[in-house]
Amino acid sequence: MATEGNNLSEYDKSSIPNAKEFRFGIVVSEWNEKVTEGLFQGAFETLKEHGVLEKKIVRWNVPGSFELTYGCKKMQETYDMLDGIIAIGSVIQGETKHFDFVCQGVSNGITQLNVNSDTPVIFCVLTDNNMQQALDRSGGKHGNKGTEAAIAAIKMAQLRKESRF
């Protein structure tokens, strides 16, 4: 878990494979847009920084985090040449159990996509207690989980590529 003074988005850039030949999809929840746009920017810029051409990154929006599973599934079906997909969302605790159901549903759904498909789907869904925690993890004092998701996507795309030989 990110803690104050510990930026989890800091990493050794030289240890990341060159991603210039990879293609990625990003599915972004429109709910909590200020947070999800920050996560998207972190992921998008990190992919480009590691060689991915802008034209090799496709973005789709879905209404909320619960819909990420369907959006990622359709992206897998539509773009079979993608090397990885990043699912970006933000669920903030409220006064009801809705938070629990959405978090459980999206995490199980993305797990199933990874089990049933050859295209890895990276879980970049913040599940925070309040908006400030989400902002702190989407470009604030704790870094950007979108950056971390992009690094995971590159590493998984490389693993996918190497496993084909």
Side-chain angles (χ1 to χ4, degrees):
M1 178 176 185
T3 56
E4 193 164 348
N6 183 15
N7 185 332
L8 298 179
S9 298
E10 295 174 359
Y11 61 96
D12 177 10
K13 293 181 173 137
S14 68
S15 69
I16 307 305
N18 186 307
K20 70 179 181 179
E21 295 181 22
F22 293 141
R23 295 181 187 103
F24 293 97
I26 305 176
V27 182
V28 182
S29 167
E30 295 172 334
W31 195 259
N32 294 325
E33 184 178 33
K34 186 173 182 180
V35 175
T36 59
E37 283 304 312
L39 294 169
F40 169 77
Q41 286 303 316
F44 185 75
E45 294 302 323
T46 301
L47 291 173
K48 289 190 333 181
E49 181 178 345
H50 289 282
V52 181
L53 298 175
E54 194 168 328
K55 67 182 182 180
K56 291 185 175 184
I57 303 170
V58 62
R59 174 188 172 149
W60 285 3
N61 289 346
V62 294
S65 291
F66 196 79
E67 292 77 25
L68 286 168
T69 301
Y70 182 80
C72 290
K73 175 182 160 234
K74 291 317 244 177
M75 188 174 274
Q76 285 176 328
E77 294 170 356
T78 303
Y79 297 102
D80 62 348
M81 79 295 205
L82 290 177
D83 297 292
I85 298 171
I86 302 170
I88 293 179
S90 171
V91 186
I92 298 175
Q93 179 70 56
E95 296 179 3
T96 68
K97 290 191 170 273
H98 182 74
F99 173 87
D100 298 323
F101 297 130
V102 171
C103 293
Q104 185 76 31
V106 72
S107 62
N108 285 341
I110 290 174
T111 297
Q112 287 303 309
L113 291 175
N114 279 305
V115 169
N116 295 324
S117 174
D118 185 48
T119 305
V121 179
I122 307 304
F123 185 84
C124 182
V125 181
L126 298 183
T127 57
D128 295 302
N129 292 321
N130 56 57
M131 179 60 79
Q132 189 58 55
Q133 286 179 344
L135 293 171
D136 289 345
R137 289 158 179 79
S138 60
K141 68 182 179 181
H142 294 310
N144 193 315
K145 298 299 277 183
T147 297
E148 296 172 43
I151 297 304
I154 292 168
K155 288 181 175 183
M156 292 304 292
Q158 184 68 29
L159 175 68
R160 179 179 183 247
K161 177 182 174 183
E162 291 172 359
S163 70
R164 290 186 172 174
F165 296 106

